[in-house]
Amino acid sequence: MSISAGSMSITPLALRAGLLRATPYPPPSQFTSAYGYGDYLKSVAALRLRGGAPLAMQLHLPPAPLLAQQRRCVEREIALQGRLFAGMDTLDRLSVHGAGSLGVCHLAELMATLRRWFSLMDDDIGDYAIDAGAGACSPQHLSDLRALGFNRVVLQGVVPGAVAAARQAGLRCIGIDIDYGQPGQTVMALARTLAEAALAAPDRIALRPWTGSGGADPVTALDMLGLCIRRLGAAGYLYIGMDHFARPGDALALAQRQGRLHRHADGYSSHAASDCIGIGPGALSTTGASCSENTSDIAAWCAALEGEVLPIARGMRLTMDQLLRRAISDRLMCNFELSVAAIEQAFPVNFAEYFAPELRRLDALARAGWLTIDGEWISVNPARRPQIRTVCALFEH
């Protein structure tokens, strides 16, 4: 299967690329080991000169085998970052991943450390989320999470009764992650999962395409995504973009309608904070015009922290060109359209001249019915919104 337009062919491989979850631009694959701890310190210093704005934090807890030691390392990394960001330490977004192996007592200690070094906003303003697996969805556990200050939970799959229990616990936003394209998964099985998810009626549903070996072929995976869009749309969910769906009254849907939706490393958000602190093995940080990634080697991660050094393995300082391309990608992913005038006002470029090669490729997509271009706006047609990643990739080196 391929879609041809002039000299451009959209192959199954390109379609597959359009299904993958977006990583921040530039992706970590472009980071280099030449960027290290000293460069990160400089980026934070530049951020301080610019003036502090609310921050985001992604906290990735390592696996469980050496939980006690690794939890101490997480707390040490929080403390090191807290010292760096002293005086500009307000978090308006927090995402905690991998907490299923942590009991409530350990999680409470972790949150106490976080509050010692960072300030959380009022509950009705801040967005404080945690993942919860099947073993962490009891009514008592969900109530404990609410008591610790979390106001949003993301359930890893459809767990009977978990959405209702989360609402009873007072969590204001409940999401469900659904995998598709997995080895052995049939369209019928996916349809049943979608029906169960719609019946549970969470506020948000996010799809996770299988990217490993043995999964569905690209065309089948695209068909599965189409099934998800149709079934969830019929159930009253709006397609926010990429892999996210939300009810019309959810904060994401409202932000999209009002033109203030943002996309970050952990997905869509109604919060604008672009500076993000990554905690844990493999976590990503974005500070000003710099991006960095922690080492994924748990032993090296722990060793760096025991030496009072942040475990940064690689990163890069973004050029104006990269910042420009990231802005274009973000706007397309959030709004499915791009104002040429807005880009020219924000960056010192003549859009038509600067992006002449990209516009030629976009013109091929326009002839294939993917989008429209009128000189002032680039607008992705509704039927092609599931492949927005492919459109954005044309602007990304």
Side-chain angles (χ1 to χ4, degrees), residues 218-238:
V219 176
T220 301
L222 188 65
D223 289 340
M224 286 182 161
L225 178 58
L227 173 69
C228 293
I229 293 173
R230 293 192 301 274
R231 293 293 176 89
L232 294 177
Y237 287 88
L238 299 178

Side-chain angles (χ1 to χ4, degrees), residues 154-165:
V154 181
L155 307 174
Q156 304 304 297
V158 182
V159 181
V163 172

Side-chain angles (χ1 to χ4, degrees), residues 93-131:
R93 272 185 23 248
L94 171 67
S95 299
V96 179
H97 306 281
S101 58
L102 272 187
V104 171
C105 291
H106 286 163
L107 191 56
E109 292 172 5
L110 192 65
M111 290 301 292
T113 300
L114 185 66
R115 291 179 182 277
R116 189 176 306 130
W117 292 102
F118 291 90
S119 301
L120 273 61
M121 303 185 80
D122 291 342
D123 183 74
D124 60 341
I125 299 175
D127 185 350
Y128 305 121
I130 186 168
D131 291 350

